[in-house]
């Protein structure tokens, strides 16, 4: 195992809290990529500026990686591959457990970094995300002993068994909305299963991922985990197309996911895709209650500015309770505090960047123009005042009769909820399924038979009944339809996504040796 090389990379960063002070423009966090155990600049020397979206200020700078850097990282992963694969799984698991210890000890520092670069509020989001990262390494580290095969009962003459072998070099790409969680969910199972790993972080939020890489590197041989920073087309595309990559694991938009799948098809490389969503939240007439309101807010991920693939962004409320339920929802939503992600009082932070902010505003403008849509709360963000200093969007609800317009069909990835009344159970299920997405769904009713009937009828990879919380480690998680392929986050996910089964048949009924 190599020693910690954090001085180079993080020498300029002090204890927890100092990352927060970089917020005030005091210092730029300069970070480098991890390739073969070394901290590297891009071969071109070019960099990307990382912005603090709550202040519209430069927060840091990372290398602008490109194809040549991808080649180096893949070569480093290749060089490390054979030795890492030979290490006993429980030993690899122990490395993950050691990484988890350090991640846990440094979770506040990680949380502040996440809050600073993503805009996710520290109290409601970033702290939980940082804690989850340590949990992920601990979870998969503990599962190392489960990387086992089976024997087949083929009679006394044959020994037939299977082995769960590593696939090889895994190429992974993550988005910016929950970068630390999503990166750890790929790194930990992949390396625990004996693969080596090249990850491209999202250009908008690479800093927390690089901190995780630093902690990993202290417990792993060089080249087992490599982390690149760069733009999608310049750095992600060559990674997806690299001939030595044996498995692709992508989380991001459906459009880019399709491109990844095409690149994988050229080489018949297995892919896991965790893509977009437009998830329904179905409220039955007996659920006009405060706890459901809380659940719907959680499901919509309002406290992550609804920048979540699983956001329950289409709210189907039974017509009998439509107005009373919305009134309760509005009152609760308007009490949430929007502001600086590092402020403990803040519930809702900032949208990731200007492009996304303008996109969200564009959807709100379209809703405001639409004659058959009614603005229930929110609207366009103020052009001046404290909220204008960052990309702060206001939680917005439109009531609409139709499930068939842009705001109800497209993934906005911002705090814009469309509420639609319904009367007939079959009709609401039809509307819920009238989308090319199928990631998550939420059903709200005390009548468990109809809640489960609905849960089973909805086309989604993950349905929650009477709760709106986040994913739980250990559940096979992923989408159906154009929300993705494959399952990660669980033991099955590690086995299916990051190992390949080899079958060995041994003839044990050999004739006696000729004397
Ligand atoms: P995105 O697809 O634009 O980018 C995701 C990543 O892909 C980034 O690292 C980006 O640099 C890279 N990329 C972009 N173009 C690429 C290309 N041509 N080749 C290779 N890589 C490329 O998505 P985003 O805007 O960063 O993230 C938001 C999307 O991610 C939403 O659609 C959201 O639903 C989805 N998402 C899904 C899940 C899930 O678990 N299903 C989780 C989080 C986010």
């Amino acid at each position: 195992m190599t020693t910690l090389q954090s001085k180079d990379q993080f020498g300029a960063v002090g204890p927890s809290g100092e990352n927060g002070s970089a917020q005030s423009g005091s210092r730029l966090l300069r970070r480098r990529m991890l390739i073969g155990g070394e901290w590297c600049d891009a071969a071109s020397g070019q960099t990307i500026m990382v912005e603090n979206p709550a202040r519209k200020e430069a927060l840091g700078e990372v290398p602008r990686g490109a194809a040549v850097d991808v080649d180096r990282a893949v070569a480093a992963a290749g060089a490390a591959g054979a030795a890492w694969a030979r290490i006993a799984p429980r030993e690899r698991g122990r490395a993950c457990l050691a990484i988890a210890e350090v991640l846990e000890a440094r979770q506040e520092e990680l949380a502040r970094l996440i809050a600073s670069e993503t805009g996710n509020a520290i109290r409601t989001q970033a702290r939980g995300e940082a804690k989850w990262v340590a949990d992920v390494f601990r979870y998969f580290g503990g599962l190392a002993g489960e990387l086992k095969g089976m024997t087949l009962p083929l009679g006394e003459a044959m020994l037939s068994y299977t082995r769960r072998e590593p696939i090889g070099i895994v190429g992974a790409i993550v988005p910016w909305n929950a970068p630390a969680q999503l990166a750890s969910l790929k790194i930990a199972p992949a390396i625990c299963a004996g693969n080596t790993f090249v990850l491209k972080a999202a250009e908008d939020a690479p800093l927390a991922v690089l901190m995780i890489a630093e902690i990993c590197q202290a417990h792993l041989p060089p080249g087992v985990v490599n982390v690149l920073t760069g733009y999608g087309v310049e750095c992600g595309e060559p990674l997806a197309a690299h001939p030595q990559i044996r498995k692709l694991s992508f989380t991001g938009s459906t459009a880019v996911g399709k491109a990844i799948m095409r690149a994988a098809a050229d080489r018949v490389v297995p892919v896991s895709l965790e893509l977009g969503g437009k998830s329904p939240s179905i409220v039955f007439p007996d659920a006009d209650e405060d706890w459901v309101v809380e659940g719907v807010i959680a499901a919509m991920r309002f406290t992550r500015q609804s920048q979540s693939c699983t956001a329950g962004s289409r709210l189907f409320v039974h017509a009998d309770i439509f107005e009373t339920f919305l009134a309760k929802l509005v009152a609760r939503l308007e009490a949430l505090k929007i502001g600086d992600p590092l402020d403990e009082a803040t519930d809702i932070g900032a949208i990731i960047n200007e492009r996304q902010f303008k996109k969200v505003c564009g959807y709100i403008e379209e809703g405001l123009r639409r004659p058959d849509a009614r603005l229930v709360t929110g609207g366009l963000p103020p052009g001046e005042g404290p909220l204008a200093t960052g990309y702060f969007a206001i939680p917005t609800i439109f009531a609409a009769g139709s499930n068939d317009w842009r705001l109800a069909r497209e993934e906005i990835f911002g705090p814009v909820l469309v509420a639609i009344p319904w009367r007939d159970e079959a009709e609401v299920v039809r509307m819920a399924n009238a989308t090319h997405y199928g990631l998550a769904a939420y059903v709200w009713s005390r009548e468990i038979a109809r809640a489960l009937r609905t849960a089973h009828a909805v086309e989604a990879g993950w349905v929650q009944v009477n709760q709106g919380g986040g994913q739980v480690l250990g559940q096979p998680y992923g989408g159906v339809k154009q929300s993705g392929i494959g399952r990660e986050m669980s033991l099955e996910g590690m086995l299916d996504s990051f190992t390949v089964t080899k079958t060995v048949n041994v003839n044990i009924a050999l004739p006696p040796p000729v004397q």
Side-chain angles (χ1 to χ4, degrees), residues 6-14 18 27-31:
S6 62
K7 273 262 162 59
D8 277 2
Q9 175 73 353
F10 282 81
V13 180
E18 210 162 317
R27 194 167 62 207
L28 216 55
L29 302 175
R30 292 205 167 77
R31 299 290 181 264

Side-chain angles (χ1 to χ4, degrees), residues 84-85 92 147 164-167 188-195 494 498-499:
W84 183 245
R92 295 195 301 255
L147 289 156
R164 287 284 188 172
E165 296 189 348
I167 302 175
I191 64 169
C192 186
N195 305 281
M494 175 166 73
F498 295 110
T499 72

Side-chain angles (χ1 to χ4, degrees), residues 173-176 200 203 232 236 251-253 274-276 309 411 413 477:
I173 299 174
V174 292
W176 44 260
K200 191 198 83 67
E203 54 270 40
T251 300
S253 63
E274 299 203 338
L275 309 177
C309 48
E411 185 184 43
F413 226 59
Y477 166 72

Side-chain angles (χ1 to χ4, degrees), residues 217-238:
Q217 189 49 56
H219 298 276
L220 298 172
V224 171
V225 168
N226 305 274
V227 175
L228 300 168
T229 53
Y231 292 115
V233 170
E234 292 174 1
C235 189
E237 238 177 64

Side-chain angles (χ1 to χ4, degrees), residues 333-402:
L333 212 48
E334 289 180 352
L336 295 177
K337 185 173 181 301
I338 307 167
D340 185 343
L342 288 171
D343 184 341
E344 295 291 336
T346 295
D347 295 299
I348 300 176
I351 297 279
I352 186 74
N353 59 28
E354 186 180 18
R355 187 170 49 85
Q356 194 65 19
F357 178 76
K358 284 185 170 160
K359 188 176 152 202
V360 172
C361 292
Y363 280 109
I364 296 172
E365 279 162 3
E366 183 168 334
L368 292 171
R369 281 197 305 271
R370 194 173 161 105
D372 60 349
R374 169 169 56 97
L375 180 69
V376 181
T377 185
L380 287 169
E384 52 192 34
L387 290 189
T389 59
Y391 304 118
F392 293 104
I394 315 286
T396 296
I397 302 178
F398 286 104
S402 165

Side-chain angles (χ1 to χ4, degrees), residues 82-131:
W84 183 245
R86 271 198 306 274
I87 290 176
R90 281 166 207 262
E91 182 96 0
R92 295 195 301 255
R94 263 196 291 278
C96 290
L97 295 173
I99 291 167
E101 289 298 308
V102 183
L103 282 166
E104 191 163 81
R106 293 179 63 185
Q107 60 183 296
E108 182 64 16
E109 184 188 346
L110 185 62
R112 295 184 74 81
L113 203 48
I114 293 169
S116 302
E117 66 176 338
T118 64
N120 294 348
I122 186 116
R123 178 177 52 79
T124 57
Q125 289 297 318
R127 240 175 232 135
E129 292 174 27
K131 178 182 179 306

Side-chain angles (χ1 to χ4, degrees), residues 223-376:
V224 171
V225 168
N226 305 274
V227 175
L228 300 168
T229 53
Y231 292 115
V233 170
E234 292 174 1
C235 189
E237 238 177 64
L239 179 60
H242 200 287
Q244 256 89 58
I245 295 287
R246 298 282 294 275
K247 154 86 195 191
L248 284 165
S249 176
F250 173 79
T251 300
S253 63
T254 295
V256 176
K258 289 178 184 176
I260 300 288
M261 200 165 172
R262 275 184 220 110
D266 277 348
R267 313 191 309 282
V268 196
V269 162
V271 285
S272 306
L273 301 175
E274 299 203 338
L275 309 177
K278 189 74 185 176
S279 301
S281 207
I282 301 174
V283 183
F284 278 87
D286 65 331
D288 191 10
E289 300 187 43
D290 289 343
W291 64 269
V292 182
V293 166
E294 294 296 335
V296 162
I297 289 173
M300 179 53 181
R301 314 282 186 250
F302 272 119
T303 57
R304 206 204 276 157
Q305 303 76 258
S306 304
Q307 297 176 135
S308 168
C309 48
T310 53
S313 52
R314 289 183 298 147
L315 178 63
F316 296 103
V317 183
H318 194 272
D320 287 352
I321 61 164
F322 192 74
E323 294 303 336
T324 51
F325 187 85
L326 282 193
K328 283 199 269 283
L329 181 58
V330 167
R332 186 67 193 97
L333 212 48
E334 289 180 352
L336 295 177
K337 185 173 181 301
I338 307 167
D340 185 343
L342 288 171
D343 184 341
E344 295 291 336
T346 295
D347 295 299
I348 300 176
I351 297 279
I352 186 74
N353 59 28
E354 186 180 18
R355 187 170 49 85
Q356 194 65 19
F357 178 76
K358 284 185 170 160
K359 188 176 152 202
V360 172
C361 292
Y363 280 109
I364 296 172
E365 279 162 3
E366 183 168 334
L368 292 171
R369 281 197 305 271
R370 194 173 161 105
D372 60 349
R374 169 169 56 97
L375 180 69
V376 181

